[in-house]
């Protein structure tokens, strides 16, 4: 048999073994989706395990303190920081427009004096993006260059992403508030906590991508 004949036979065999192009495209898509799933799950594990389970005092004082509404402990912890002179003034962002200072005073009577001098209520924000805009506007109006940020621990990554966009010239000092749910048991042992963290991780990714690719 001539060498050319052998080459033709081998080429024909390889052509027969080659998968049709639709199958090759499907296989490539499945492989890509698998890789994305691995990256997504790995990122979620890093996100979830990075959320603190204990509270620590801020590293240093700041010009102002901002609390993002969504949990009563956030507001009381922020007021406590203000009372301990960690900041000169406090903004509670995202307060229901119908809520008045007197209602918050009834919930935290020990901080009544602070309401008369050093606490502002922000009624404009409806979500984290709105919180960031409201906080940045308040901070610029007062000439503040540093802020202690008080959200829940699981909400901190997304809050910082939004705030860094709106107040890029301001030093942000995180003070994550740890809820009882996060403190009592590891997140992977509770289905509801795991769902909460997964939803927050998706929102964090969406906020990061939106800010990165917006004009």
């Amino acid at each position: 048999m001539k060498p050319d004949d052998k080459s033709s036979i081998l080429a024909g065999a390889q052509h027969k073994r080659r998968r049709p192009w639709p199958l090759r495209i499907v296989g490539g898509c499945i492989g890509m989706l698998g890789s994305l799933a691995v990256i997504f799950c790995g990122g979620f594990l890093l996100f979830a395990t990075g959320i603190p389970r204990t509270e620590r005092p801020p590293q240093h004082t700041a010009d102002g303190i901002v609390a993002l509404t969504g949990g009563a402990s956030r507001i009381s912890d922020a007021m406590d920081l203000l009372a301990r002179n960690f900041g000169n003034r406090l903004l509670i962002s995202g307060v229901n427009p119908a809520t008045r200072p007197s209602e918050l005073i009834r919930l935290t009577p020990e901080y009544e004096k602070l309401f008369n001098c050093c606490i502002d209520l922000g009624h404009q924000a409806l979500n984290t993006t709105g919180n960031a805009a409201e906080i940045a506007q308040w901070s610029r109006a007062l000439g503040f260059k540093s802020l202690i940020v008080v959200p829940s621990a699981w909400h901190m990554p997304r809050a910082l992403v939004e705030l860094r966009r709106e107040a890029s010239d301001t030093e942000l000092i995180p003070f994550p508030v740890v809820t009882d749910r996060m403190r009592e048991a590891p997140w992977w042992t509770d289905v509801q906590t795991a769902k909460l963290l997964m939803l927050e991780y998706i929102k964090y990714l969406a906020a990061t991508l939106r800010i990165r690719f917006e004009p």
Side-chain angles (χ1 to χ4, degrees):
M1 183 179 292
K2 296 180 180 181
D4 292 342
D5 295 335
K6 291 181 178 180
S7 300
S8 299
I9 293 172
L10 291 174
Q14 291 175 356
H15 179 72
K16 291 179 180 179
R17 290 195 300 266
R18 188 178 299 170
R19 293 184 302 171
W21 66 265
L23 292 180
R24 294 201 300 271
I25 293 176
V26 171
C29 291
I30 292 175
M32 184 181 298
L33 290 175
S35 299
L36 291 176
V38 171
I39 294 172
F40 178 85
C41 292
F44 171 69
L45 290 176
L46 290 175
F47 174 85
T49 55
I51 294 175
R53 295 179 58 192
T54 57
E55 293 180 4
R56 297 180 181 180
Q59 299 174 352
H60 54 82
T61 60
D63 294 332
I65 303 169
V66 293
L68 284 70
T69 55
S73 56
R74 305 181 194 181
I75 297 174
S76 60
D77 283 9
M79 290 179 182
D80 180 65
L81 291 175
L82 181 64
R84 293 161 58 192
N85 297 316
F86 273 95
N88 299 316
R89 198 167 188 86
L90 166 65
L91 170 67
I92 304 174
S93 175
V95 178
N96 189 305
T99 301
R100 296 291 177 262
S102 57
E103 298 177 44
L104 295 178
I105 290 173
R106 284 199 298 270
L107 296 175
T108 55
E110 65 272 26
Y111 300 118
E112 181 175 1
K113 292 182 179 180
L114 296 177
F115 276 94
N116 297 327
C117 72
C118 315
I119 296 178
D120 300 314
L121 304 184
H123 297 286
Q124 299 177 1
L126 299 176
N127 50 35
T128 306
T129 303
N131 288 139
E134 186 172 63
I135 289 168
Q137 182 180 7
W138 176 81
S139 177
R140 283 193 294 266
L142 294 174
F144 287 169
K145 297 299 181 182
S146 59
L147 296 173
I148 295 176
V149 184
V150 187
S152 293
W154 49 266
H155 189 206
M156 178 63 78
R158 182 158 60 102
L160 290 180
V161 164
E162 296 284 4
L163 275 169
R164 283 170 181 150
R165 175 186 180 278
E166 295 289 344
S168 58
D169 58 343
T170 303
E171 180 188 6
L172 303 176
I173 305 166
F175 181 77
V177 176
V178 180
T179 60
D180 292 338
R181 176 184 294 182
M182 294 295 298
R183 197 191 310 270
E184 292 172 355
W187 62 268
W188 60 86
T189 62
D190 185 87
V191 174
Q192 295 302 320
T193 302
K195 288 182 178 179
L196 172 68
L197 294 183
M198 176 59 75
L199 179 60
E200 184 61 27
Y201 175 61
I202 293 172
K203 291 181 178 179
Y204 165 74
L205 290 180
T208 302
L209 293 174
R210 173 178 55 80
I211 290 171
R212 178 168 297 182
F213 292 107
E214 69 183 0

